[in-house]
Structure formats: structure tokens, C-alpha cells
Amino acid sequence: MKTIGKLAKELGINIETVRFYERKGLIVQPLKPDSGYRIYDNTHVNQLKFILKAKALGFTLDEIASLMSLSGSCADVESMGLQKLRLIRKKIADLQRLEQVIQDMTNSCKANQDPNSCPIINSLS
Amino acid sequence: MKTIGKLAKELGINIETVRFYERKGLIVQPLKPDSGYRIYDNTHVNQLKFILKAKALGFTLDEIASLMSLSGSCADVESMGLQKLRLIRKKIADLQRLEQVIQDMTNSCKANQDPNSCPIINSLS
DNA sequence: TTAAACTCCGTACATAGGTACGGAGTCAAC
DNA sequence: GTTGACTCCGTACCTATGTACGGAGTTTAA
């Protein structure tokens, strides 16, 4: 049983972030009506850890909300995982193309003997 | 000589985007004072093409502004290219780690025989 | 000549994921 | 029992990159 400040500190996140996730519907608001203070237990801690782990995997908050509501259906969860996998692979492919282009450009710079021109600028112009 | 609408159409961007780049200092505002309408020539077209190409390479608008102001110094431009290259490579490495993690997860789903549990949800919980 | 199309400007809105503020109420420690 | 720390809530603000709106002025084409 802990208040929001303890909870946030334990998870290494901001108090405002907890309230933000609450507004987003990712977690439910617990209330001890006497004081009006939110009182959390380990269930809430685990929920938030779930959210933080999923976030680290690149899921958006909306996707995390889906993941949590889907948690009974392994096939649906797997499908979200596969979709995320496709997105990640596309991003990797895009970045690898960029990597190649920019690497070629910087190599041209290294080989450049003319102090009055820059191959990168030239190829962009 | 063309007005902003023709320019934007030629480049496949929005009129508002041209004005936005102007506000950001990426391009200078040309004015024919009689009407108050902006009048552009091919110099402006080429400047904007430069911006669009650099953007496609993943440079931010601030970085593009630097690129344009640095265009005399090949070493400085090369340095920005190398910095961008490092960032791209870091992103690729991060994404590849994610790819591995999520792929392992979805593989576990495929192998899963228990209809009442999901390996992905379990590993997040 | 008049109607349609174009442009002006400043401002608000959008996304995603938060962060900051401020006045009021509550709790805990000394 | 008071002072300092904590929490409440709603709202505004932040980044980055634009997009949308709306009233007023301008240009163009029939």
C-alpha cells in the first residue's frame, strides 16, 4: 500500500506520468475516499511494469491498452506481435538504405580534394 | 516566376509548408510588394528540393538549416553526415534487438499449446 | 465587370507522450 | 500543533513537423 509518489519513485517514473496513464485508460484509478489520495498495491505496480516493458519494446500506449485487453487471446496478441515485427523490419530496411546513402556521401567527402566544393552539398543540390 | 501555389504544386508539398519553412528560417521570403504575393524562381525551387532531399535522408529541419549555412565547409558537412550515420546505426542496432525479442515472443506463441495462457503476456507480466 | 481562384496573415489544431504549474486540501514528523 | 512534504485537479505547455481556418485583399479569365 503506497501513495502515488512512492509508486512513481519505485518505478522510476513521474507522478504526472502515472496520472497520465490513468487518463489514457491504461490503468484504473484507485481511491481511498477519506483523503482522496490514490492508494496502490502490488497489482498496480505489476500493471505499470507491464506497461513499461511493452513500451520498451516499441508498443505505443494505444497498442499497450489493446495488449492488456486482449490478454486472454494468445492468437490476437501474437498477431499484434507479428504486426509490430513487420513494422520494425521495415524501419530497419529503411534505415539501412539511409545508412548506405549517407555512408557513400561521407566517403566522397573523405576522397574530396577540391576545397571549394562538398560532395554532400552537391548531391543534395 | 511563380506564385506560392504553383511552387508548392510543383514540389508536391503544401502551401502552408512553404510558409512554415519560411517561418523556420529555412528559406527567405521573396515579395513582390505591389500585390504582396510571394514570387518564386528556380533558385527557390532548388533550395526547396535541397530541403526535401535532406529531409528524406533523415535530417531534421534544424539540421538542414545548419547544412545550408555550412555548405562552404566540406569538413563540417561531413561531420554532420558522420553524426547522422552514428545515429542511424544506433537506431538500427536498437531495432534489431527489439526484432529479436519480439520474434522470440511470437515464436513462443506459435509453440504454445495452452489455450489459457499467452507467452507474450506472461513475459510482460 | 464580375465571379472564381488565389494569396495574405495570424492563430489554432493535430500527433504522442508526456511535463509543469498553482492553489487548495491532507498527512506525518517533531 | 504546526510546519513541511505530499497529493488533489484541471489546465497549459513542450517537441517536431506540419495542417486547417477564416476574413480580407488581389489576380485572372470569361
Side-chain angles (χ1 to χ4, degrees):
Chain A
M1 299 304 181
K2 55 203 83 174
T3 56
I4 196 169
K6 297 275 176 54
L7 177 81
K9 190 163 189 181
E10 178 175 339
L11 293 166
I13 61 179
N14 208 308
I15 289 179
E16 313 294 333
T17 303
V18 177
R19 300 208 311 120
F20 176 69
Y21 287 169
E22 200 180 279
R23 281 204 301 284
K24 290 294 249 181
L26 287 173
I27 52 178
V28 288
Q29 182 183 49
L31 265 188
K32 183 178 185 198
D34 282 10
S35 68
Y37 283 15
R38 292 165 178 83
I39 302 296
Y40 298 92
D41 60 23
N42 283 330
T43 308
H44 301 102
V45 174
N46 289 333
Q47 267 183 26
L48 278 161
K49 281 185 179 172
F50 180 105
I51 292 168
L52 297 177
K53 283 185 205 166
K55 216 162 64 67
L57 288 179
F59 287 96
T60 67
L61 298 186
D62 282 352
E63 285 167 344
I64 293 170
S66 296
L67 274 180
M68 294 195 298
S69 72
L70 252 53
S71 57
S73 162
C74 189
D76 288 349
V77 173
E78 181 192 359
S79 162
M80 286 191 66
L82 289 172
Q83 193 179 335
K84 185 57 62 178
L85 206 50
R86 280 192 295 275
L87 186 67
I88 288 172
R89 285 175 174 153
K90 181 174 181 337
K91 278 189 187 171
I92 289 173
D94 287 348
L95 286 171
Q96 281 172 337
R97 266 188 283 105
L98 281 185
E99 181 190 13
Q100 194 57 57
V101 172
I102 297 186
Q103 189 178 335
D104 289 351
M105 285 179 168
T106 54
N107 284 344
S108 303
C109 277
K110 284 201 207 326
N112 180 34
Q113 301 296 331
D114 178 0
N116 293 319
S117 84
C118 173
I120 292 183
I121 296 298
N122 291 344
S123 64
L124 290 174
S125 297
Chain B
M1 298 304 182
K2 54 204 84 172
T3 57
I4 196 168
K6 297 275 175 56
L7 176 82
K9 191 164 189 182
E10 178 175 340
L11 293 166
I13 62 180
N14 208 310
I15 288 179
E16 312 295 332
T17 303
V18 178
R19 297 210 312 121
F20 175 69
Y21 288 169
E22 199 180 279
R23 281 205 300 285
K24 290 295 246 181
L26 286 172
I27 52 179
V28 288
Q29 183 183 48
L31 267 188
K32 181 179 184 196
D34 281 10
S35 68
Y37 283 15
R38 294 165 178 82
I39 302 296
Y40 299 92
D41 59 24
N42 284 330
T43 308
H44 301 102
V45 173
N46 290 333
Q47 266 183 27
L48 278 161
K49 281 185 179 171
F50 181 105
I51 292 168
L52 297 177
K53 284 185 205 166
K55 215 162 66 67
L57 289 180
F59 288 96
T60 67
L61 298 187
D62 282 352
E63 286 166 344
I64 294 169
S66 295
L67 274 180
M68 293 195 298
S69 72
L70 253 53
S71 56
S73 161
C74 188
D76 288 349
V77 172
E78 181 191 359
S79 162
M80 285 191 66
L82 290 172
Q83 194 179 335
K84 185 57 64 177
L85 205 50
R86 280 192 294 276
L87 186 67
I88 288 172
R89 285 176 174 153
K90 182 176 181 334
K91 277 189 188 172
I92 289 173
D94 287 347
L95 286 172
Q96 281 172 337
R97 267 188 282 106
L98 282 185
E99 180 190 13
Q100 193 56 56
V101 172
I102 297 186
Q103 188 178 335
D104 288 352
M105 284 179 169
T106 54
N107 284 343
S108 303
C109 277
K110 283 200 207 327
N112 180 36
Q113 301 295 331
D114 180 358
N116 294 320
S117 83
C118 174
I120 292 182
I121 296 297
N122 292 344
S123 64
L124 289 175
S125 296

